[in-house]
Amino acid sequence: MVPRSKPPPPVARFWEPQGDYCRCLTCPQNCLVAPGSAGLCAGRINQGGELLAVNYGAISSLAMDPIEKKPLYRFQPGSYILSVGGYGCNLNCSFCQNFRISREIPPTRYISPPELVEIAGSYPQSVGVAFTYNEPLVAIEYLLDCAPQLQQAGEKVVLVTNGVISPEPLAQLLPYVDAMNIDIKGFNTTFYPKIGGSLEWVLPTVAAVWQRCHLEITTLVIPGENDDSKEIEALAAWLAALSPQIPLHLSRFFPRYRMLEVGATPVATLQRLAAVARKYLEYVYIGNV
């Protein structure tokens, strides 16, 4: 297998010019990108008045994982999936578990869409490709090229995402996605502003995805931040209004990145919150224990 040479970065698909600036329309951040600068996610740069997807095909991580690690417990259970990470993110979580590739630009290797399909096909134990580790939707151009080719080759396409995406890019991508795990960071009005986002950006994504492909939800439970029983009850009730069969994963926090002073989530907290969520949802799991 010979790696393809890296081509010039393509022009981003979702943006509009505003004088010398570029307005990115990929996600609700709607970054106004100055000449020579990058947007929040670091994946797009304004060069000469055009917004270029400089993260296209830039792969930082490639690993074979159990699909339960995504976590997906009710999609192809017991299987393995080729997991692919790039770099960048459109949120700024102080508790990020993968900050080396989400908040920094790591060494990468260019993998073209045909080469990714070829790599995926070389692992018969894998059911497909999971775009994960960093935020995959900030590389929407790459996803829109890879996903149809993977689907045509018989590979499952999985995304592990924060769900921060504008409606039009999501609508174009969803026909080629088999499963998603969406991370709902918190279910209150104060949590998302701390990480540079909004809960109102994520909930419409969840509702749209539920109608089109397999969906599971993860919440990383952080002591003192989003571990209130009423909050988890409200989240579970909201999900149950879509379907009580949507799986919810309550994941244990460990000190990372800029939250090293906060202790790991007690397992008893996860068990208590899971019992609350099970009043509404059929499938509630605790993780990282």
Side-chain angles (χ1 to χ4, degrees):
M1 184 183 301
V2 179
R4 276 71 168 179
S5 60
K6 183 178 181 179
V11 176
R13 296 200 191 189
F14 305 97
W15 69 285
E16 62 185 18
Q18 293 193 356
D20 293 335
Y21 287 70
C22 297
R23 175 73 70 184
C24 184
L25 304 175
T26 301
C27 84
Q29 297 285 4
N30 291 146
C31 293
L32 186 61
V33 186
S37 298
L40 173 66
C41 73
R44 288 162 188 76
I45 291 179
N46 179 347
Q47 291 187 2
E50 285 190 317
L51 195 63
L52 303 185
V54 293
N55 61 351
Y56 186 94
I59 303 304
S60 66
S61 316
L62 200 65
M64 190 67 65
D65 287 333
I67 202 160
E68 287 82 5
K69 187 180 175 182
K70 299 304 94 191
L72 289 172
Y73 277 21
R74 305 198 68 81
F75 178 80
Q76 303 286 320
S79 65
Y80 284 80
I81 193 162
L82 181 66
S83 298
V84 178
Y87 70 85
C89 185
N90 51 5
L91 292 177
N92 190 14
C93 301
S94 57
F95 47 86
C96 183
Q97 308 290 291
N98 290 323
F99 66 93
R100 296 290 185 193
I101 63 173
S102 65
R103 303 313 318 161
E104 301 173 7
I105 300 180
T108 61
R109 168 193 161 189
Y110 176 72
I111 298 180
S112 70
E115 185 183 2
L116 183 61
V117 174
E118 185 180 357
I119 293 171
S122 69
Y123 291 98
Q125 73 271 38
S126 172
V127 297
V129 172
F131 296 93
T132 181
Y133 301 139
N134 72 306
E135 174 48 52
L137 290 173
V138 302
I140 187 67
E141 293 82 8
Y142 188 61
L143 295 182
L144 286 170
D145 287 345
C146 289
Q149 296 184 40
L150 288 165
Q151 190 180 74
Q152 187 174 14
E155 304 286 350
K156 301 295 185 184
V157 176
V158 169
L159 270 68
V160 181
T161 172
N162 62 27
V164 177
I165 184 72
S166 295
E168 179 57 28
L170 179 64
Q172 291 191 25
L173 181 62
L174 271 178
Y176 307 104
V177 178
D178 296 287
M180 279 197 202
N181 185 296
I182 297 179
D183 192 0
I184 296 182
K185 308 286 185 177
F187 207 74
N188 62 58
T189 58
T190 61
F191 191 88
Y192 268 92
K194 296 178 183 179
I195 60 176
S198 169
L199 179 61
E200 298 307 313
W201 293 350
V202 179
L203 298 186
T205 302
V206 173
V209 170
W210 168 247
Q211 298 174 25
R212 298 298 298 272
C213 71
H214 180 83
L215 172 67
E216 303 192 20
I217 302 295
T218 295
T219 294
L220 180 68
V221 178
I222 305 171
E225 294 288 342
N226 61 354
D227 60 345
D228 184 83
S229 295
K230 291 182 179 179
E231 181 174 341
I232 297 301
E233 183 172 13
L235 168 60
W238 186 86
L239 290 172
L242 296 176
S243 170
Q245 294 188 325
I246 295 176
L248 173 63
H249 302 263
L250 299 173
S251 188
R252 190 184 190 194
F253 165 83
F254 287 95
R256 291 291 186 274
Y257 194 30
R258 299 196 300 268
M259 290 190 71
L260 298 177
E261 76 287 354
V262 178
T265 311
V267 175
T269 298
L270 296 175
Q271 293 170 336
R272 169 175 56 84
L273 297 177
V276 170
R278 289 183 182 123
K279 297 177 183 177
Y280 300 88
L281 299 170
E282 293 183 25
Y283 307 114
V284 179
Y285 307 99
I286 60 174
N288 283 354
V289 296

